[in-house]
Amino acid sequence: MTDPAYTIEGAERPGRWLMTCDHATNHVPDWVAGGDLGLPAADMTRHIAYDIGAAGVTRHLAALLDSPAILSGFSRLVIDPNRGEDDPTLLMRLYDGTIIPANRHAGPAELAERLDRLYRPYHDAYAALAAGMTAPVICAIHSFTPQLRARPPRPWEVGVLYAGDERLALPLIAACRAQGWCTGANEPYAGHLPGDAIDRHALQHDRPNVLIEVRQDLIADEAGQLAWAERLAPILRQVLAETEL
């Protein structure tokens, strides 16, 4: 199922995992500032516009786990679906040193249109997909840049993020480290923002959940995306079985 706001793959698959990708694409709809946000094309290929490689990992993992996936259909710079509606970073005006021209002076009308046409349809579809599953386990896939501007390189290969619910996250961190991967616990980011996607669709419903970040240089091409999905799938199966959630 495809909509301008999202794509759902494998809705009929019987697995318990619900794979999600909030920052799947750098697409800007034509009705938003002419389709480019006023940024050079090169900036739209950077990590500021989407999570490089995350969509491919999500799709491969969903297939390997025989589970459905939902992926956003719009750039995080248009509006960020992994933020609450009242979050000041919902509409980013400056990101990693880059000013977003079309957002700099965006007013309430522009925000309302993006909420109604993109953000809310994505979350409505996400909620409906989860509600239609039996005992869903949410796994959000993200990716992170190896280095922010003027910051030191990030050493982690994988990060596992979590908030109050550690049931899957802590065993997953241990399992990843047992593979020899440099694994961050709530690194390179803290694991929770009130109203974010995991809060909204997992924590508020007491659904088991985990958020996985993979470093972008490791999944920049199809081969890397498939390789990391094949590494992560058996570990996710193992952790879910051992936790008996």
Side-chain angles (χ1 to χ4, degrees), residues 191-213:
H192 179 57
L193 289 170
D196 67 12
I198 287 289
D199 184 24
R200 183 169 181 163
H201 299 287
L203 298 180
Q204 294 181 22
H205 301 270
D206 196 32
R207 291 171 177 146
N209 64 90
V210 69
L211 189 155
I212 299 174
E213 294 264 3

Side-chain angles (χ1 to χ4, degrees), residues 55-110:
V57 175
T58 302
R59 290 188 171 99
H60 287 307
L61 267 173
L64 290 165
L65 295 169
D66 201 17
S67 293
I70 183 167
L71 302 94
S72 67
F74 51 93
S75 171
R76 67 193 301 167
L77 295 180
V78 175
I79 192 166
D80 193 334
N82 196 34
R83 298 291 185 273
E85 290 196 18
D86 58 352
D87 191 302
T89 63
L90 182 66
L91 211 63
M92 292 292 284
R93 290 167 168 79
L94 176 71
Y95 197 168
D96 195 19
T98 298
I99 294 171
I100 317 304
N103 292 351
R104 191 173 184 183
H105 302 294
E110 289 98 328

Side-chain angles (χ1 to χ4, degrees), residues 156-226:
W156 309 282
E157 295 167 276
V158 178
V160 177
L161 277 55
Y162 56 94
D165 185 354
E166 303 173 349
R167 293 175 292 176
L168 275 178
L170 295 186
L172 180 60
I173 291 165
C176 289
R177 289 176 175 168
Q179 296 294 313
W181 305 337
C182 183
T183 304
N186 275 339
E187 297 284 1
Y189 314 106
H192 179 57
L193 289 170
D196 67 12
I198 287 289
D199 184 24
R200 183 169 181 163
H201 299 287
L203 298 180
Q204 294 181 22
H205 301 270
D206 196 32
R207 291 171 177 146
N209 64 90
V210 69
L211 189 155
I212 299 174
E213 294 264 3
V214 185
R215 204 174 67 215
Q216 288 168 358
D217 59 310
L218 302 176
I219 54 171
D221 59 21
E222 179 73 18
Q225 293 156 25
L226 178 58

Side-chain angles (χ1 to χ4, degrees), residues 40-57:
D43 274 332
M44 291 305 298
T45 66
R46 294 177 57 220
H47 72 97
I48 63 172
Y50 71 124
D51 279 0
I52 295 165
V57 175

Side-chain angles (χ1 to χ4, degrees), residues 5 9 33 80 88 97 99 115-116 142 144 146 149 162 164 189 197-198 207 238:
E9 298 190 0
D80 193 334
I99 294 171
L115 282 167
D116 287 341
H142 291 255
F144 62 96
R149 287 180 177 176
Y162 56 94
Y189 314 106
I198 287 289
R207 291 171 177 146
Q238 170 196 327

Side-chain angles (χ1 to χ4, degrees), residues 1-2 6-13 17-19 55-56 58-60 62-63 66-71 129:
M1 182 188 303
T2 301
Y6 61 87
T7 296
I8 292 174
E9 298 190 0
E12 73 293 343
R13 292 173 184 157
W17 294 95
L18 172 50
M19 306 303 304
T58 302
R59 290 188 171 99
H60 287 307
D66 201 17
S67 293
I70 183 167
L71 302 94
L129 187 57

